Amino acid sequence: MQTRLNDTSASKAVVILVAAGSGERLAAGVPKAFAPLCGESLLAHALRGIFGCAEVGHVIIVSPLSHVEHCRDVAGGTNGTDGGKPRVDVVTGGATRTASVQAGLRALLPDDAIVLVHDVARCLAPPELFARVIGAVRTGEAAVVPGLPVTDTVKVVNAEGRVVQTPDRESLYAIQTPQGFRREVLEHAHASGASATDDAALVERTGGQVRVVAGDPMAMKITVPVDMLMAAALLKDGLHVR
Ligand code: CTP
Ligand code: MG
């Protein structure tokens, strides 16, 4: 008989929303989560996308130490599409993204069996993307990432600036968040103590299988100032680009 912890077929998901970065490259004068985009913070936009997915039952916001109350206020002032919203907890993050995810893992509740990790920097990720990732974990996948086929030609370049390889573009995908996991798979991956720019990489390194599902252009990552212009355009006209 399966334990409740492992029963992912029907349970709702928890989203660990990592928002503790400083946003140095965006240089907005505030941590990236609190930078304004069309009048609202990236955090507010991100929460609206998450709250819009009925399959999410719990959200853990990982905040900069200085902004915990601010996160609570933003969460309190943001509603889902039908007015309802999941339980929201706020914890403080660490010095790296990986450490911030681990702070979120420590705040999981006993019933949290499906865990999604999402970057506040991808604040326009729509509810359907969360639902797609959760659906794939429910069908039995251990780890699920959204991805879009790469349209640029990508080259591997060495320290001297010389191209050493041009991988076949057919097999290249740009990977987004939210990334979804069976809880024990993500905890095991992080127990290795290694660091990575995404959580799926830790699962790969610990021998786990990672499934790719269709990503969404709206889940673009805001990193540098020009990305804000792109995000503002998507926010106004997003449905036409999918
Ligand atoms: N993040 C985090 N804790 C950290 C570093 C990053 O929670 N110590 C989060 C960011 O808030 C972001 C995501 O991880 O949502 C991806 O990181 P990135 O885009 O690099 O954001 P920042 O680290 O804030 O930006 P920068 O690297 O330019 O300072
Ligand atoms: Mg960073």
Side-chain angles (χ1 to χ4, degrees):
M1 200 178 87
Q2 281 194 318
T3 63
R4 270 190 88 190
L5 191 66
N6 290 327
D7 181 10
T8 55
S9 58
S11 60
K12 290 199 175 191
V14 54
V15 177
I16 296 175
L17 178 62
V18 284
S22 55
E24 264 175 50
R25 289 168 289 177
L26 189 62
V30 289
K32 191 175 358 187
F34 310 99
L37 170 65
C38 299
E40 282 187 296
S41 65
L42 267 57
L43 176 62
H45 288 291
L47 288 174
R48 193 159 330 96
I50 295 167
F51 291 170
C53 177
E55 310 307 322
V56 174
H58 183 198
V59 179
I60 299 166
I61 303 172
V62 186
S63 163
L65 183 59
S66 52
H67 283 69
V68 170
E69 279 310 313
H70 194 143
C71 285
R72 289 206 181 97
D73 289 347
V74 173
T78 306
N79 287 313
T81 34
D82 61 357
K85 65 172 116 170
R87 168 184 172 141
V88 178
D89 293 314
V90 184
V91 300
T92 56
T96 63
R97 182 187 183 281
T98 303
S100 291
V101 173
Q102 285 168 359
L105 286 174
R106 288 192 291 275
L108 292 178
L109 298 172
D111 279 348
D112 287 330
I114 299 174
V115 184
L116 269 57
V117 182
H118 185 50
D119 291 342
V120 79
R122 298 185 187 273
C123 64
L124 301 184
E128 310 91 78
L129 187 60
F130 288 88
R132 192 179 308 146
V133 170
I134 293 165
V137 178
R138 279 196 182 142
T139 63
E141 299 291 346
V144 178
V145 298
L148 291 174
V150 166
T151 52
D152 288 321
T153 295
V154 176
K155 294 186 188 291
V156 180
V157 180
N158 70 14
E160 285 81 49
R162 293 200 187 279
V163 172
V164 291
Q165 196 197 344
T166 303
D168 179 10
R169 197 170 60 192
E170 291 292 299
S171 61
L172 293 177
Y173 282 73
I175 299 303
Q176 305 175 322
T177 72
Q179 300 187 349
F181 306 88
R182 296 175 69 94
R183 175 189 183 145
E184 62 275 18
V185 169
L186 186 61
E187 287 181 328
H188 176 66
H190 275 274
S192 70
S195 217
T197 53
D198 80 347
D199 300 277
L202 297 177
V203 172
E204 292 155 41
R205 282 186 217 160
T206 48
Q209 294 283 316
V210 180
R211 160 73 65 187
V212 180
V213 297
D216 192 307
M218 294 292 284
M220 61 162 287
K221 182 161 174 277
I222 296 175
T223 307
V224 292
V226 69
D227 297 330
M228 284 294 235
L229 296 176
M230 187 83 82
L234 285 173
L235 199 51
K236 290 190 190 113
D237 214 15
L239 287 176
H240 300 290
V241 301
R242 282 201 208 155

